[in-house]
mmCIF file of all heavy atoms in Angstrom:
data_model
loop_
_atom_site.group_PDB
_atom_site.id
_atom_site.type_symbol
_atom_site.label_atom_id
_atom_site.label_comp_id
_atom_site.label_asym_id
_atom_site.label_seq_id
_atom_site.Cartn_x
_atom_site.Cartn_y
_atom_site.Cartn_z
ATOM 1 N N GLY A 120 -17.641 -88.470 8.634
ATOM 2 C CA GLY A 120 -16.957 -89.599 9.247
ATOM 3 C C GLY A 120 -17.545 -89.881 10.614
ATOM 4 O O GLY A 120 -17.964 -88.951 11.310
ATOM 5 N N TRP A 121 -17.601 -91.166 11.010
ATOM 6 C CA TRP A 121 -18.188 -91.519 12.297
ATOM 7 C C TRP A 121 -17.546 -92.787 12.842
ATOM 8 O O TRP A 121 -16.947 -93.577 12.117
ATOM 9 C CB TRP A 121 -19.697 -91.659 12.185
ATOM 10 C CG TRP A 121 -20.180 -92.747 11.265
ATOM 11 C CD1 TRP A 121 -20.541 -94.024 11.606
ATOM 12 C CD2 TRP A 121 -20.353 -92.660 9.836
ATOM 13 N NE1 TRP A 121 -20.919 -94.724 10.484
ATOM 14 C CE2 TRP A 121 -20.820 -93.907 9.389
ATOM 15 C CE3 TRP A 121 -20.151 -91.640 8.903
ATOM 16 C CZ2 TRP A 121 -21.085 -94.178 8.049
ATOM 17 C CZ3 TRP A 121 -20.423 -91.901 7.564
ATOM 18 C CH2 TRP A 121 -20.884 -93.150 7.156
ATOM 19 N N ILE A 122 -17.695 -92.972 14.133
ATOM 20 C CA ILE A 122 -17.170 -94.152 14.829
ATOM 21 C C ILE A 122 -18.287 -95.180 14.930
ATOM 22 O O ILE A 122 -19.423 -94.845 15.272
ATOM 23 C CB ILE A 122 -16.674 -93.773 16.237
ATOM 24 C CG1 ILE A 122 -15.506 -92.791 16.131
ATOM 25 C CG2 ILE A 122 -16.253 -95.021 17.020
ATOM 26 C CD1 ILE A 122 -15.093 -92.187 17.459
ATOM 27 N N VAL A 123 -17.956 -96.441 14.624
ATOM 28 C CA VAL A 123 -18.953 -97.510 14.722
ATOM 29 C C VAL A 123 -18.656 -98.487 15.853
ATOM 30 O O VAL A 123 -19.550 -99.182 16.321
ATOM 31 C CB VAL A 123 -19.113 -98.281 13.388
ATOM 32 C CG1 VAL A 123 -19.677 -97.366 12.316
ATOM 33 C CG2 VAL A 123 -17.812 -98.889 12.931
ATOM 34 N N SER A 124 -17.391 -98.553 16.299
ATOM 35 C CA SER A 124 -17.052 -99.484 17.376
ATOM 36 C C SER A 124 -15.749 -99.070 18.053
ATOM 37 O O SER A 124 -14.944 -98.338 17.473
ATOM 38 C CB SER A 124 -16.906 -100.912 16.839
ATOM 39 O OG SER A 124 -15.798 -101.007 15.969
ATOM 40 N N ARG A 125 -15.602 -99.580 19.271
ATOM 41 C CA ARG A 125 -14.352 -99.394 20.020
ATOM 42 C C ARG A 125 -14.044 -100.679 20.754
ATOM 43 O O ARG A 125 -14.926 -101.286 21.362
ATOM 44 C CB ARG A 125 -14.495 -98.270 21.040
ATOM 45 C CG ARG A 125 -14.432 -96.910 20.427
ATOM 46 C CD ARG A 125 -13.670 -95.968 21.363
ATOM 47 N NE ARG A 125 -13.518 -94.692 20.711
ATOM 48 C CZ ARG A 125 -14.208 -93.610 21.002
ATOM 49 N NH1 ARG A 125 -15.086 -93.633 21.979
ATOM 50 N NH2 ARG A 125 -14.007 -92.497 20.353
ATOM 51 N N SER A 126 -12.781 -101.068 20.712
ATOM 52 C CA SER A 126 -12.336 -102.244 21.443
ATOM 53 C C SER A 126 -10.875 -102.050 21.800
ATOM 54 O O SER A 126 -10.012 -102.072 20.913
ATOM 55 C CB SER A 126 -12.523 -103.499 20.591
ATOM 56 O OG SER A 126 -12.025 -104.630 21.275
ATOM 57 N N GLY A 127 -10.609 -101.832 23.060
ATOM 58 C CA GLY A 127 -9.237 -101.588 23.480
ATOM 59 C C GLY A 127 -8.664 -100.364 22.791
ATOM 60 O O GLY A 127 -9.238 -99.279 22.844
ATOM 61 N N ARG A 128 -7.562 -100.560 22.095
ATOM 62 C CA ARG A 128 -6.894 -99.455 21.403
ATOM 63 C C ARG A 128 -7.417 -99.241 19.987
ATOM 64 O O ARG A 128 -6.976 -98.331 19.300
ATOM 65 C CB ARG A 128 -5.385 -99.725 21.365
ATOM 66 C CG ARG A 128 -4.762 -99.723 22.749
ATOM 67 C CD ARG A 128 -3.304 -100.192 22.775
ATOM 68 N NE ARG A 128 -2.521 -99.653 21.690
ATOM 69 C CZ ARG A 128 -1.598 -100.348 21.007
ATOM 70 N NH1 ARG A 128 -1.373 -101.615 21.289
ATOM 71 N NH2 ARG A 128 -0.915 -99.784 20.039
ATOM 72 N N LEU A 129 -8.355 -100.065 19.532
ATOM 73 C CA LEU A 129 -8.872 -99.965 18.165
ATOM 74 C C LEU A 129 -10.224 -99.251 18.112
ATOM 75 O O LEU A 129 -11.100 -99.506 18.932
ATOM 76 C CB LEU A 129 -9.036 -101.352 17.543
ATOM 77 C CG LEU A 129 -7.772 -102.065 17.110
ATOM 78 C CD1 LEU A 129 -8.097 -103.481 16.648
ATOM 79 C CD2 LEU A 129 -7.068 -101.297 15.999
ATOM 80 N N SER A 130 -10.359 -98.381 17.138
ATOM 81 C CA SER A 130 -11.632 -97.730 16.853
ATOM 82 C C SER A 130 -12.043 -98.093 15.434
ATOM 83 O O SER A 130 -11.266 -97.893 14.491
ATOM 84 C CB SER A 130 -11.509 -96.204 16.961
ATOM 85 O OG SER A 130 -11.217 -95.812 18.273
ATOM 86 N N GLY A 131 -13.238 -98.637 15.258
ATOM 87 C CA GLY A 131 -13.783 -98.927 13.935
ATOM 88 C C GLY A 131 -14.556 -97.712 13.458
ATOM 89 O O GLY A 131 -15.329 -97.118 14.221
ATOM 90 N N THR A 132 -14.333 -97.315 12.217
ATOM 91 C CA THR A 132 -14.928 -96.090 11.698
ATOM 92 C C THR A 132 -15.474 -96.301 10.292
ATOM 93 O O THR A 132 -15.107 -97.253 9.611
ATOM 94 C CB THR A 132 -13.890 -94.952 11.646
ATOM 95 O OG1 THR A 132 -12.812 -95.357 10.801
ATOM 96 C CG2 THR A 132 -13.343 -94.624 13.026
ATOM 97 N N GLU A 133 -16.330 -95.364 9.870
ATOM 98 C CA GLU A 133 -16.793 -95.311 8.489
ATOM 99 C C GLU A 133 -16.850 -93.852 8.071
ATOM 100 O O GLU A 133 -16.931 -92.955 8.917
ATOM 101 C CB GLU A 133 -18.179 -95.941 8.329
ATOM 102 C CG GLU A 133 -18.183 -97.441 8.525
ATOM 103 C CD GLU A 133 -19.529 -98.069 8.213
ATOM 104 O OE1 GLU A 133 -20.217 -97.603 7.272
ATOM 105 O OE2 GLU A 133 -19.895 -99.030 8.910
ATOM 106 N N SER A 134 -16.831 -93.638 6.767
ATOM 107 C CA SER A 134 -16.985 -92.287 6.237
ATOM 108 C C SER A 134 -17.625 -92.363 4.862
ATOM 109 O O SER A 134 -17.625 -93.408 4.209
ATOM 110 C CB SER A 134 -15.649 -91.555 6.167
ATOM 111 O OG SER A 134 -14.749 -92.213 5.307
ATOM 112 N N SER A 135 -18.179 -91.222 4.447
ATOM 113 C CA SER A 135 -18.786 -91.176 3.127
ATOM 114 C C SER A 135 -18.617 -89.788 2.528
ATOM 115 O O SER A 135 -18.457 -88.794 3.232
ATOM 116 C CB SER A 135 -20.272 -91.537 3.185
ATOM 117 O OG SER A 135 -21.005 -90.516 3.811
ATOM 118 N N ILE A 136 -18.654 -89.779 1.206
ATOM 119 C CA ILE A 136 -18.687 -88.541 0.433
ATOM 120 C C ILE A 136 -19.927 -88.642 -0.438
ATOM 121 O O ILE A 136 -20.106 -89.623 -1.170
ATOM 122 C CB ILE A 136 -17.432 -88.377 -0.442
ATOM 123 C CG1 ILE A 136 -16.188 -88.212 0.430
ATOM 124 C CG2 ILE A 136 -17.579 -87.179 -1.389
ATOM 125 C CD1 ILE A 136 -14.878 -88.160 -0.347
ATOM 126 N N ALA A 137 -20.808 -87.629 -0.327
ATOM 127 C CA ALA A 137 -22.054 -87.626 -1.089
ATOM 128 C C ALA A 137 -22.233 -86.288 -1.792
ATOM 129 O O ALA A 137 -21.739 -85.257 -1.324
ATOM 130 C CB ALA A 137 -23.235 -87.889 -0.162
ATOM 131 N N ASP A 138 -22.954 -86.321 -2.906
ATOM 132 C CA ASP A 138 -23.225 -85.069 -3.620
ATOM 133 C C ASP A 138 -24.364 -84.319 -2.920
ATOM 134 O O ASP A 138 -24.915 -84.797 -1.916
ATOM 135 C CB ASP A 138 -23.502 -85.318 -5.104
ATOM 136 C CG ASP A 138 -24.787 -86.084 -5.378
ATOM 137 O OD1 ASP A 138 -25.659 -86.173 -4.487
ATOM 138 O OD2 ASP A 138 -24.926 -86.585 -6.513
ATOM 139 N N ILE A 139 -24.722 -83.168 -3.451
ATOM 140 C CA ILE A 139 -25.725 -82.336 -2.776
ATOM 141 C C ILE A 139 -27.119 -82.961 -2.765
ATOM 142 O O ILE A 139 -27.957 -82.572 -1.965
ATOM 143 C CB ILE A 139 -25.781 -80.904 -3.362
ATOM 144 C CG1 ILE A 139 -26.117 -80.942 -4.856
ATOM 145 C CG2 ILE A 139 -24.503 -80.162 -3.110
ATOM 146 C CD1 ILE A 139 -26.376 -79.568 -5.444
ATOM 147 N N ASP A 140 -27.337 -83.953 -3.613
ATOM 148 C CA ASP A 140 -28.612 -84.674 -3.620
ATOM 149 C C ASP A 140 -28.603 -85.868 -2.669
ATOM 150 O O ASP A 140 -29.592 -86.609 -2.585
ATOM 151 C CB ASP A 140 -28.954 -85.145 -5.033
ATOM 152 C CG ASP A 140 -29.186 -83.981 -5.983
ATOM 153 O OD1 ASP A 140 -29.780 -82.974 -5.549
ATOM 154 O OD2 ASP A 140 -28.757 -84.084 -7.155
ATOM 155 N N GLY A 141 -27.478 -86.087 -1.989
ATOM 156 C CA GLY A 141 -27.368 -87.197 -1.059
ATOM 157 C C GLY A 141 -26.919 -88.500 -1.681
ATOM 158 O O GLY A 141 -26.889 -89.532 -1.014
ATOM 159 N N VAL A 142 -26.549 -88.481 -2.966
ATOM 160 C CA VAL A 142 -26.065 -89.692 -3.632
ATOM 161 C C VAL A 142 -24.616 -89.932 -3.203
ATOM 162 O O VAL A 142 -23.752 -89.073 -3.372
ATOM 163 C CB VAL A 142 -26.158 -89.560 -5.163
ATOM 164 C CG1 VAL A 142 -25.542 -90.776 -5.843
ATOM 165 C CG2 VAL A 142 -27.607 -89.363 -5.592
ATOM 166 N N GLU A 143 -24.386 -91.115 -2.636
ATOM 167 C CA GLU A 143 -23.046 -91.430 -2.146
ATOM 168 C C GLU A 143 -22.095 -91.705 -3.311
ATOM 169 O O GLU A 143 -22.375 -92.550 -4.157
ATOM 170 C CB GLU A 143 -23.096 -92.633 -1.210
ATOM 171 C CG GLU A 143 -21.775 -92.887 -0.521
ATOM 172 C CD GLU A 143 -21.862 -93.989 0.504
ATOM 173 O OE1 GLU A 143 -22.086 -95.158 0.102
ATOM 174 O OE2 GLU A 143 -21.703 -93.689 1.694
ATOM 175 N N CYS A 144 -20.970 -90.997 -3.311
ATOM 176 C CA CYS A 144 -19.944 -91.176 -4.347
ATOM 177 C C CYS A 144 -18.876 -92.166 -3.906
ATOM 178 O O CYS A 144 -18.314 -92.879 -4.732
ATOM 179 C CB CYS A 144 -19.294 -89.835 -4.676
ATOM 180 S SG CYS A 144 -20.442 -88.609 -5.316
ATOM 181 N N ALA A 145 -18.573 -92.186 -2.599
ATOM 182 C CA ALA A 145 -17.545 -93.085 -2.080
ATOM 183 C C ALA A 145 -17.823 -93.358 -0.607
ATOM 184 O O ALA A 145 -18.394 -92.521 0.098
ATOM 185 C CB ALA A 145 -16.161 -92.481 -2.253
ATOM 186 N N HIS A 146 -17.416 -94.529 -0.168
ATOM 187 C CA HIS A 146 -17.612 -94.951 1.223
ATOM 188 C C HIS A 146 -16.326 -95.626 1.682
ATOM 189 O O HIS A 146 -15.674 -96.308 0.888
ATOM 190 C CB HIS A 146 -18.787 -95.928 1.309
ATOM 191 C CG HIS A 146 -19.267 -96.143 2.700
ATOM 192 N ND1 HIS A 146 -20.365 -95.499 3.210
ATOM 193 C CD2 HIS A 146 -18.798 -96.927 3.701
ATOM 194 C CE1 HIS A 146 -20.561 -95.884 4.462
ATOM 195 N NE2 HIS A 146 -19.618 -96.753 4.780
ATOM 196 N N ALA A 147 -15.984 -95.433 2.941
ATOM 197 C CA ALA A 147 -14.758 -96.048 3.460
ATOM 198 C C ALA A 147 -15.005 -96.663 4.830
ATOM 199 O O ALA A 147 -15.892 -96.226 5.573
ATOM 200 C CB ALA A 147 -13.638 -95.021 3.546
ATOM 201 N N TRP A 148 -14.195 -97.647 5.128
ATOM 202 C CA TRP A 148 -14.171 -98.316 6.418
ATOM 203 C C TRP A 148 -12.722 -98.321 6.868
ATOM 204 O O TRP A 148 -11.813 -98.577 6.069
ATOM 205 C CB TRP A 148 -14.642 -99.757 6.302
ATOM 206 C CG TRP A 148 -16.034 -99.913 5.792
ATOM 207 C CD1 TRP A 148 -17.161 -100.132 6.535
ATOM 208 C CD2 TRP A 148 -16.467 -99.904 4.422
ATOM 209 N NE1 TRP A 148 -18.248 -100.245 5.714
ATOM 210 C CE2 TRP A 148 -17.854 -100.104 4.414
ATOM 211 C CE3 TRP A 148 -15.807 -99.726 3.200
ATOM 212 C CZ2 TRP A 148 -18.607 -100.142 3.244
ATOM 213 C CZ3 TRP A 148 -16.548 -99.758 2.035
ATOM 214 C CH2 TRP A 148 -17.932 -99.967 2.063
ATOM 215 N N ALA A 149 -12.489 -98.050 8.141
ATOM 216 C CA ALA A 149 -11.111 -98.052 8.636
ATOM 217 C C ALA A 149 -11.078 -98.462 10.092
ATOM 218 O O ALA A 149 -12.078 -98.388 10.814
ATOM 219 C CB ALA A 149 -10.475 -96.672 8.472
ATOM 220 N N ARG A 150 -9.894 -98.898 10.492
ATOM 221 C CA ARG A 150 -9.614 -99.136 11.899
ATOM 222 C C ARG A 150 -8.471 -98.216 12.277
ATOM 223 O O ARG A 150 -7.467 -98.118 11.557
ATOM 224 C CB ARG A 150 -9.267 -100.594 12.153
ATOM 225 C CG ARG A 150 -10.468 -101.472 11.895
ATOM 226 C CD ARG A 150 -10.364 -102.869 12.427
ATOM 227 N NE ARG A 150 -9.106 -103.505 12.112
ATOM 228 C CZ ARG A 150 -8.681 -104.623 12.695
ATOM 229 N NH1 ARG A 150 -9.410 -105.202 13.612
ATOM 230 N NH2 ARG A 150 -7.535 -105.163 12.359
ATOM 231 N N PHE A 151 -8.656 -97.537 13.403
ATOM 232 C CA PHE A 151 -7.650 -96.625 13.921
ATOM 233 C C PHE A 151 -7.071 -97.210 15.194
ATOM 234 O O PHE A 151 -7.808 -97.751 16.023
ATOM 235 C CB PHE A 151 -8.260 -95.242 14.205
ATOM 236 C CG PHE A 151 -8.463 -94.438 12.958
ATOM 237 C CD1 PHE A 151 -9.527 -94.702 12.115
ATOM 238 C CD2 PHE A 151 -7.574 -93.442 12.612
ATOM 239 C CE1 PHE A 151 -9.707 -93.978 10.950
ATOM 240 C CE2 PHE A 151 -7.743 -92.712 11.452
ATOM 241 C CZ PHE A 151 -8.812 -92.972 10.619
ATOM 242 N N LEU A 152 -5.768 -97.105 15.332
ATOM 243 C CA LEU A 152 -5.062 -97.665 16.475
ATOM 244 C C LEU A 152 -4.473 -96.543 17.313
ATOM 245 O O LEU A 152 -3.732 -95.700 16.802
ATOM 246 C CB LEU A 152 -3.942 -98.594 15.993
ATOM 247 C CG LEU A 152 -3.098 -99.264 17.055
ATOM 248 C CD1 LEU A 152 -3.944 -100.232 17.886
ATOM 249 C CD2 LEU A 152 -1.934 -100.013 16.408
ATOM 250 N N SER A 153 -4.811 -96.552 18.595
ATOM 251 C CA SER A 153 -4.205 -95.598 19.524
ATOM 252 C C SER A 153 -2.847 -96.136 19.931
ATOM 253 O O SER A 153 -2.722 -97.317 20.272
ATOM 254 C CB SER A 153 -5.073 -95.446 20.776
ATOM 255 O OG SER A 153 -6.324 -94.913 20.430
#
Side-chain angles (χ1 to χ4, degrees):
W121 63 95
I122 297 171
V123 295
S124 66
R125 283 218 175 105
S126 177
R128 295 171 43 220
L129 285 174
S130 295
T132 60
E133 291 186 36
S134 62
S135 70
I136 294 175
D138 67 17
I139 59 172
D140 295 322
V142 175
E143 188 174 66
C144 299
H146 194 99
W148 300 261
R150 294 195 313 166
F151 283 77
L152 180 65
S153 297

